Amino acid sequence: MSLTYAQFVTTIANLTSEDETGTDFLQILPSAIDYAEDRIYRELDLLVENVRDSSASTTIGDRNFNLPTSLGVYSGPLDGINIITPASTAPESGTRIRLLPASLDFLDYTWPSSESSGVPQYFAYFSQSSLSGQKNIVFGPWPDATYRVEVIGKIQPAALSASNTTTYLSTYLPDLMVAATMIFMSGWQQNFGAQRADNPQMPASWSAQYAELMASAATWEARKRFAGPSWTSKAPEPAASGQRG
């Protein structure tokens, strides 16, 4: 069963015994959705988060590089970076050179200046945030031409809202989304802890339900990546004497 935003609002209102048109309820709901989605995206290795963005290029003689944002902001670990050769060539028209992750110390020592520039072979992930003004990536060697850069990693999709009425989570994992939201709403209703709580078992019950749903969702998602038994897409068989390969 999938949920639209309107159905999700009604479901949470019913489970919390709140008026779904109430000012306080509608004010706190976006924070509850953020909590639920942030937690699920961190704990599940979802394929829907994966993107390849090749919209940015290196700058000649500048080893620093900012992650592209045309498809969204990279919020999770990077899976890899490819340099496309020859210079100024799109990924599907050129050759991908997979960069190896390295430490910034190694890059500083091996390529201390642009004098030994060339096609980058290594990268160091220096910072994920642009708020400090620091570039995200450092290349080694320093680029000697303008190369297209293909960044592979995870972005967090847009949150469920009145203007974004369906998401991957609300469509395919609505039960997990509801359970995670209810953990946050338990705190909003001051039901965390045994003191001064009308229903102290509420957060514990939803946390237990969330854990059960997360376990099944994690197995389901692993099978999509062919990370099931013997690296297949098959479900584990409790009665089988050996894994299927």
Side-chain angles (χ1 to χ4, degrees):
M1 179 190 72
S2 62
L3 293 175
T4 64
Y5 177 75
Q7 292 169 329
F8 180 81
V9 171
T10 299
T11 298
I12 299 301
N14 289 338
L15 290 172
T16 55
S17 300
E18 296 284 343
D19 178 5
E20 67 179 271
T21 64
T23 301
D24 291 342
F25 175 77
L26 292 177
Q27 185 275 329
I28 199 63
L29 190 59
S31 296
I33 292 174
D34 285 344
Y35 168 87
E37 292 186 339
D38 289 349
R39 182 170 181 178
I40 293 171
Y41 284 128
R42 283 196 304 268
E43 295 180 9
L44 274 182
D45 189 8
L46 291 171
L47 290 176
V48 71
E49 298 175 85
N50 295 349
V51 298
R52 286 176 177 258
D53 193 332
S54 57
S55 61
S57 300
T58 62
T59 301
I60 299 175
D62 185 358
R63 68 174 186 162
N64 301 300
F65 176 78
N66 266 336
L67 296 175
T69 58
S70 62
L71 299 179
V73 177
Y74 287 93
S75 58
L78 294 182
D79 291 325
I81 296 179
N82 293 323
I83 291 289
I84 311 302
T85 60
S88 303
T89 304
E92 303 313 319
S93 301
T95 300
R96 288 177 171 86
I97 296 179
R98 188 71 162 196
L99 302 190
L100 297 175
S103 69
L104 184 60
D105 292 339
F106 169 74
L107 299 186
D108 287 345
Y109 180 82
T110 309
W111 295 284
S113 72
S114 61
E115 292 182 0
S116 55
S117 61
V119 180
Q121 304 290 327
Y122 299 88
F123 77 95
Y125 199 172
F126 180 69
S127 172
Q128 193 174 51
S129 172
S130 60
L131 298 177
S132 63
Q134 299 282 347
K135 295 294 183 71
N136 304 136
I137 301 295
V138 176
F139 290 129
W142 299 41
D144 64 346
T146 302
Y147 299 102
R148 291 282 288 275
V149 182
E150 184 179 58
V151 181
I152 307 161
K154 294 185 178 297
I155 64 170
Q156 185 161 320
L160 183 69
S161 66
S163 59
N164 188 39
T165 58
T166 58
T167 66
Y168 179 87
L169 296 182
S170 72
T171 302
Y172 296 103
L173 296 171
D175 51 352
L176 187 63
M177 179 75 176
V178 168
T181 303
M182 286 301 297
I183 296 173
F184 183 95
M185 295 301 286
S186 299
W188 176 64
Q189 292 188 319
Q190 299 184 10
N191 280 327
F192 264 92
Q195 296 180 345
R196 301 173 61 183
D198 295 330
N199 185 4
Q201 295 302 315
M202 181 178 177
S205 297
W206 279 112
S207 293
Q209 178 69 7
Y210 174 84
E212 290 184 12
L213 294 172
M214 174 56 71
S216 62
T219 299
W220 184 256
E221 199 66 24
R223 290 172 58 195
K224 293 181 187 178
R225 301 191 309 275
F226 285 79
S230 299
W231 295 99
T232 70
S233 62
K234 306 298 184 182
E237 294 288 352
S241 58
Q243 294 186 4
R244 295 179 294 188

